[in-house]
Amino acid sequence: MNLVDNKPGYTRSVEPPLFFIMMRFNLKVTLLFLFVIGILTILTLYSFCGSRVKEWGNVNSKSLDVLTTEEIDCEINGDYIIGCRKEGDDVYLPFSFLHRYFEVYGKLATYDGVERFEWSHSYSKVYRPKSKYDPKGVFMYFENYNVEVRDRVKCVSAIEGVPVSTQWESQGYYYPTQIAQFGLSHFSKNLTEPEPRRKMIDDSDRDLGKWIIPSTAKFERIFDNNFNSKILKFITSDSYEEGIRLKMDHVLYFVMSLDLILSGNSSVTITLQNRETKQIYFLHYITSDVWITSQDNNIYHGIGTKRTWKKLTRDLIVDLHKGISFFDKDKSKIKLSRSKMRLTEITLRGSGCIDNLTLSSSEHIQQFYDTAEWFVKHQDKQTGGWPIPVKRKLAPGFQDLQPGWYSSMSQGHAISVLSRAYYHSGGDIRYLTAALLGLKPFKVSSDLGGVRASFLDKYPWYEEYPTQPASFVLNGFIYSLLGLYDLMSIAPLEDGREAEVLFNDGMVSLRRMISLFDMGSVTSYDLRHFTINTAPNLARWDYHATHVNQLLLLSTMDGDSSSSSSSLFKVTAERWIGYMNGKRADHN
Ligand SMILES: *[C@@H]1O[C@H](CO)[C@@H](O)[C@H](O)[C@H]1NC(C)=O
Ligand SMILES: *[C@@H]1O[C@H](CO)[C@@H](O)[C@H](O)[C@H]1NC(C)=O
Ligand SMILES: *[C@@H]1O[C@H](CO)[C@@H](O)[C@H](O)[C@H]1NC(C)=O
């Protein structure tokens, strides 16, 4: 799995405040002291009237003793000194030190006006499956993913409708794993989010949009036999000012979709305004193969140069955000919330036709199908793989993966997308064919361009990174198993056989090998400590949580052959959850 793309939507904002617990105590001491002085004053006054007072006074002076703290040096491993506090026989270390030393996390929080300190051993989150895993349903917990807003997504290509990654190559490239995650997240959101709300902006059959047409332009609503409906046809002069405009004041939904065909040098421009700062932005969809470029507040997305009808589905806020971060690298400055934006104008320039111009709150299923189409179109029909066009260096000791390598995780994720598309489309055979073809690299050894490695020449393993020597990355392997499971469950019986064999073989390996990843207080990401004899590559907490989430999910797939493994996976996952809460394996 790559560094950013596959982790659950955790926030790392638990960056612990660097402060001393003792400071809080100091404040308390001061307050208590003042309080005690107050009590004492009252008591002194009372002492003129009674004798019980003496006893109270004693109690209070006693607590004063207990709360005295003093500074003390603390020597760490005979190596260096830090400042600590001593109170009675106890010594207090600053949390900023504990955080660094033990990699634990903490923050101050206030509940009902009472402040407290919250300590946590890990920063990550476990998603317990709510029910048995359903290959036709939500993919893991991907409804929480928001792939397109990640920093390592350059933009969503308006040519293909899928994200462009900058993960290992800043120019950008299509990374099948990331694309599949985009598709799976939209498929999952379709099942979990509220129904989309839509507003039809222009539909020629109903003559909806009141366009402003300059005298130099041509504008007609013509009947098209292919669509058996009317479409809007336009031609404007070359001058930028002379576009056909539709003025609006729209503030609700920012996912635009339309059917369009444009000839060269034509464009559709959306004007957006920030309601607070009044700043205006122009989103231009142009006939070009450029993914994204921008100049000042003009942002350009190419929609390709083919003169054929296409359905364009764009999240305008994502496009705006990507455009701004494209020219303004200081991303922290960019705060664009949907609720602050207003759509003020749609402009058509050049010549072309449009239809079904709509604004919606979401178009998840359309974005999912854009993804499925991408996988159908970009599969190598010989090998069945979706090539990754950039070089990948996993670590010293492994040979580099040369551009064009395949990943079991990409293959598995793609198969998960295509299986769902096959099911959801009511059996569109193109999706099934591509998914079945996608099994091919699982049968080809990783030294021959496939993804199959073997542990001790015995246990097959589908490699996320098919390195020499093998790396045995755990999470990518399990994701690939999910893809195989999806296909064997959704494909018609005979078609699903091959996926089933690959899945069962993989599960045998996983059952046998899962304990090799258990490091007693954390897990390891891969088995490089075995294959290249280095220190183990310990999984940071979000990957560790991914391991746990995956095992919990596998443990819900009970069946005849795997009921024993479902309990193995459950027990292992629970032990690994313990690690996230500071538990460790016993020592001798
Ligand atoms: C999900 O997709 C179906 C079409 O399959 C659509 O009718 C429904 O409105 C969509 N719901 C959401 C939340 O996207
Ligand atoms: C517009 O939408 C209608 C209804 O979905 C569809 O029949 C028609 O083909 C669409 N127009 C174009 C140009 O795709
Ligand atoms: C687009 O515009 C450029 C520059 O104005 C021109 O050179 C080119 O021929 C035009 N292309 C088409 C297809 O109209």
Side-chain angles (χ1 to χ4, degrees), residues 186 189-196 198 362-365 369 424:
H186 282 291
K189 284 176 201 280
N190 171 264
L191 297 172
T192 53
E193 284 193 356
E195 284 299 300
R198 292 195 175 89
S362 68
E363 293 288 354
H364 297 308
I365 233 39
Y369 277 109
H424 188 273

Side-chain angles (χ1 to χ4, degrees), residues 238 263-266 287 307:
D238 288 346
S263 49
N265 288 348
S266 304
T287 48
R307 291 170 103 182

